[in-house]
Amino acid sequence: MILNLDKDFKPKQGEEIQFENFIFSGGEPHIKINPNFNVSESITITHRLNSFNDLGLLCLAVDALKRMGAKLENLIIPYFPAARQDRVMIKGEPLSVKVYADIINTFNFKKVVVFDAHSEVTLAVLNNCEVITNHKFIQQVIQAIGSEVLLISPDGGALKKIYKVSEFLGGVEVVECSKSRNVKTGKLTGFKVYADDLQGKDCLIVDDICDGGGTFIGLAEELKKKHAGKLYLAVSHGIFSKGFHDLKCFERIFTTDSIKNIESDCLTQIKINNGLLSQH
């Protein structure tokens, strides 16, 4: 049995548990689960957690199911909230990723599935966590591009993952890059491409999250200075908080539906249920 708390996001096939949800006038989420299902069957809950209200709906659903004697087994939340807040940079900040993890850990799911986690901290703080790699996503992206590309690692944090992607794809060439940032303001201060001349070759920047896109816009400028060909961008989790106008330097942008459904002429969205949750 599956409970898809976001009715526009169904990453796993199976018989669905029906429910209604709404927001009270005071701002609190609420849910009413239809009790007409076999509570002895194992249940997988799926959701896209983009706010504390989304987490609140998950908490309420878990409580309602437990009160019905249901057998909770797995949780699928492809984008783990606050995964980027995985360290305390300056005094006074919370360790946000652990705050979310601590709440979810109280549910005691046998397995919590996350897609392309931002860092290993998520795996460390979240009990029974299974991280699905971006390998099949990038494989589908390259198939959609239809020609050879260089894999571009935007920064040091992405290096370890991109070499594993390269290995999965049979040894696609990787170009390493780096960026610098003011720790106190968070503002990007510079980019560096560790290649002398890209000789007109097409480049695919691979990363886990695109928020405003500043990293990728700045990096695209540096890649063009090194004579890059067409530029493509593939991000597992697309927030795109500033829209796509400034991302027109890319021939095509690819993402999944882990955060939201998006329609744009410059974007190809590959759905999580298109085989991305299987490791092999």
Side-chain angles (χ1 to χ4, degrees):
M1 304 293 295
I2 299 174
L3 178 63
N4 294 311
L5 289 174
D6 183 333
K7 294 180 179 178
D8 295 322
F9 180 66
K10 300 181 179 182
K12 187 178 175 65
Q13 299 298 315
E15 184 178 355
E16 290 188 48
I17 297 172
Q18 303 301 312
F19 70 97
E20 295 179 2
N21 70 293
F22 58 89
I23 305 291
F24 282 117
S25 55
E28 309 95 332
H30 192 60
I31 190 168
K32 291 181 179 178
I33 297 174
N34 188 330
N36 296 322
F37 67 93
N38 186 351
V39 294
S40 65
E41 291 190 26
S42 299
I43 295 173
T44 293
I45 299 179
T46 79
H47 202 14
R48 295 192 282 199
L49 299 184
N50 296 324
S51 70
F52 252 97
N53 259 3
D54 292 334
L55 179 62
L57 183 64
L58 173 62
C59 294
L60 297 176
V62 168
D63 182 77
L65 288 168
K66 285 185 175 179
R67 291 177 186 280
M68 298 162 73
K71 184 180 176 183
L72 299 182
E73 187 153 301
N74 300 322
L75 174 65
I76 300 175
I77 41 172
Y79 172 70
F80 194 80
R84 289 177 290 176
Q85 285 77 53
D86 60 357
R87 72 190 77 175
V88 177
M89 299 296 290
I90 56 176
K91 189 176 181 180
E93 292 183 334
L95 185 56
S96 304
V97 65
K98 190 171 186 304
V99 173
Y100 281 89
D102 285 348
I103 293 171
I104 293 173
N105 287 341
T106 64
F107 302 151
N108 294 317
F109 283 100
K110 290 184 178 178
K111 185 166 64 178
V112 180
V113 178
V114 175
F115 178 67
D116 194 13
H118 178 68
S119 72
E120 293 179 349
V121 175
T122 300
L123 189 63
V125 299
L126 187 60
N127 295 346
N128 305 321
C129 178
E130 177 180 325
V131 175
I132 305 297
T133 68
N134 63 347
H135 298 176
K136 287 196 171 181
F137 169 54
I138 300 304
Q139 184 180 51
Q140 291 188 33
V141 167
I142 291 178
Q143 288 171 351
I145 292 172
S147 60
E148 291 186 2
V149 293
L150 300 174
L151 294 179
I152 308 297
S153 170
D155 52 37
L159 264 183
K160 188 175 179 180
K161 287 196 288 187
I162 205 164
Y163 276 108
K164 289 184 177 179
V165 172
S166 171
E167 183 180 353
F168 177 80
L169 297 173
V172 177
E173 186 178 350
V174 172
V175 174
E176 299 181 11
C177 304
S178 66
K179 65 184 179 187
S180 52
R181 185 188 296 273
N182 184 312
V183 175
K184 291 186 176 179
T185 65
K187 187 177 180 180
L188 293 166
T189 55
F191 300 89
K192 191 166 184 179
V193 177
Y194 297 96
D196 294 330
D197 190 341
L198 297 173
Q199 302 176 339
K201 295 179 179 177
D202 295 343
C203 296
L204 172 64
I205 300 176
V206 177
D207 209 350
D208 57 327
I209 301 172
C210 178
D211 193 329
T215 292
F216 309 117
I217 295 166
L219 185 55
E221 293 175 0
E222 292 301 310
L223 289 168
K224 281 298 184 184
K225 290 178 184 175
K226 294 295 180 73
H227 311 115
K230 294 178 182 176
L231 299 180
Y232 299 91
L233 173 65
V235 289
S236 299
H237 311 291
I239 299 172
F240 304 115
S241 59
K242 296 184 179 178
F244 295 97
H245 182 270
D246 292 337
L247 291 168
K248 289 184 177 178
C249 49
F250 293 101
E251 188 79 10
R252 197 76 189 157
I253 300 169
F254 299 86
T255 190
T256 74
D257 58 344
S258 66
I259 291 181
K260 56 188 176 183
N261 298 337
I262 312 170
E263 291 188 4
S264 172
D265 293 340
C266 64
L267 181 78
T268 296
Q269 195 167 35
I270 298 174
K271 293 186 179 299
I272 291 286
N273 67 10
N274 193 27
L276 300 188
L277 286 183
S278 61
Q279 292 281 32
H280 304 290

